[in-house]
Amino acid sequence: MNRFEGRIALVTGAASGIGLATCARLASEGAHVLLADRDAQKLPAALAALSGEGHESHVLDVTEEAGWLALARVIGERHGRLDVLVNNAGYGSFAPIADTSLETWRAVMAVNMESIFLSTKILMPLLAASGSGAIVNVSSIRGIIAGVNTGSYSASKGAVRMFTKVTALECAAAGNGVRANSIHPGHTATPLTAEAYADPVIARQLLADVPMGRPGEAEEIADGIAFLASDDARYMTGSELVVDGGKSAQ
Ligand SMILES: NC(=O)c1ccc[n+]([C@@H]2O[C@H](COP(=O)([O-])OP(=O)(O)OC[C@H]3O[C@@H](n4cnc5c(N)ncnc54)[C@H](O)[C@@H]3O)[C@@H](O)[C@H]2O)c1
């Protein structure tokens, strides 16, 4: 399949895990990929891992408005439009509410949620210039079902889910051709979770309520992201795609 031939795609959190797998998938289907991550050290290897020539890497902290404004200028000058935006950068902090500091709460919100407000607002003119722009926001199964000790993470990912729907409605009302959908991965084996899965006791606990009995692979989430970003999902906007091995079906 070459669903992204000639398309410009920006992925945040692109240097690792689900973001990197998404870049690889989009590149393998013909996209010109812009990899954005705050980790400047990991970006060169991520860039080198992609098929095809000419992809770009950009050091970006997604919580910084100035960084987004600068990146938007570069994309505008080089490409004049943006066809695909995958807001993937994120992380979790897991503790009871009573033990969560305001600093931690704000940090999680800034990376997981505020960043998506910033990118959506700042990049919308470039997405509209595409004529068929697609936004895929990476939420989590925790944006739909709660769990103990996930206060800041679940709240941030639930906010991503609703913000995606508002984005979809505003774009449809504006008639700018931009679709927005969220994806909700369950437990996924990535560098973020490697430590947990390396401990057999924790791994057993994490997977106890996953009907398929294993964590997802980053590539399996990337498949869902690519679907939502592609014309195969052209009548989908404001939707949520759950990819969780059946966890939320119970
Ligand atoms: N792994 C899972 O089990 C799982 C489950 C559900 C949802 N998710 C979500 O998927 C997304 C990717 O997770 P992953 O497991 O691939 O994680 P990961 O740690 O492997 O990769 C995350 C990447 O985001 C980058 N990043 C973090 N903060 C950033 C910032 N402020 N600015 C720019 N880049 C930043 C990191 O440098 C890293 O390269 C996250 O939003 C996460 O919440 C993951």
Side-chain angles (χ1 to χ4, degrees):
M1 284 188 292
N2 255 6
R3 293 179 295 183
F4 299 101
E5 199 63 60
R7 300 202 186 176
I8 315 293
L10 170 64
V11 180
T12 69
S16 175
I18 293 168
L20 180 54
T22 300
C23 292
R25 179 63 194 259
L26 296 176
S28 75
E29 290 198 46
H32 176 85
V33 183
L34 281 56
L35 299 87
D37 203 289
R38 72 172 169 193
D39 191 332
Q41 312 239 292
K42 283 202 207 140
L43 274 172
L47 191 62
L50 302 192
S51 57
E53 302 284 307
H55 306 294
E56 303 167 34
S57 68
H58 298 273
V59 178
L60 172 78
D61 183 332
V62 294
T63 66
E64 300 287 340
E65 185 176 25
W68 279 114
L69 290 168
L71 182 57
R73 263 195 307 277
V74 171
I75 297 172
E77 282 164 16
R78 285 189 194 163
H79 307 292
R81 70 178 205 283
L82 183 64
D83 302 305
V84 174
L85 167 64
V86 181
N87 285 308
N88 163 75
Y91 81 108
S93 171
F94 301 99
I97 294 166
D99 299 336
T100 301
S101 68
L102 182 57
E103 192 186 9
T104 297
W105 173 272
R106 285 182 173 158
V108 171
M109 288 294 166
V111 177
N112 291 358
M113 179 60 244
E114 274 179 31
S115 64
I116 297 182
F117 159 69
L118 288 172
S119 68
T120 302
K121 181 175 176 182
I122 292 168
L123 296 178
M124 192 56 78
L126 289 166
L127 287 157
S130 161
S132 58
I135 300 172
V136 183
N137 291 329
V138 181
S139 176
S140 166
I141 200 62
R142 288 289 172 231
I144 300 174
I145 55 172
V148 290
N149 299 343
T150 70
S152 57
Y153 188 72
S154 289
S156 71
K157 293 299 190 177
V160 169
R161 174 173 171 266
M162 287 310 293
F163 184 78
T164 305
K165 294 181 192 300
V166 174
T167 304
L169 294 176
E170 290 193 6
C171 288
N176 64 10
V178 178
R179 297 181 298 105
N181 294 288
S182 56
I183 188 160
H184 301 262
H187 298 300
T188 309
T190 68
L192 186 71
T193 54
E195 211 175 299
Y197 289 118
D199 181 327
V201 177
I202 298 177
R204 240 192 329 275
Q205 284 168 358
L206 283 175
L207 298 175
D209 62 349
V210 177
M212 289 181 73
R214 65 167 179 84
E217 300 294 331
E219 290 72 19
E220 292 171 321
I221 310 305
D223 287 348
I225 293 172
F227 165 67
L228 290 173
S230 78
D231 290 346
D232 288 344
R234 61 194 171 279
Y235 194 54
M236 287 178 72
T237 195
S239 297
E240 50 202 70
L241 181 62
V242 173
V243 186
D244 71 346
K247 183 180 166 80
S248 59
Q250 308 165 93

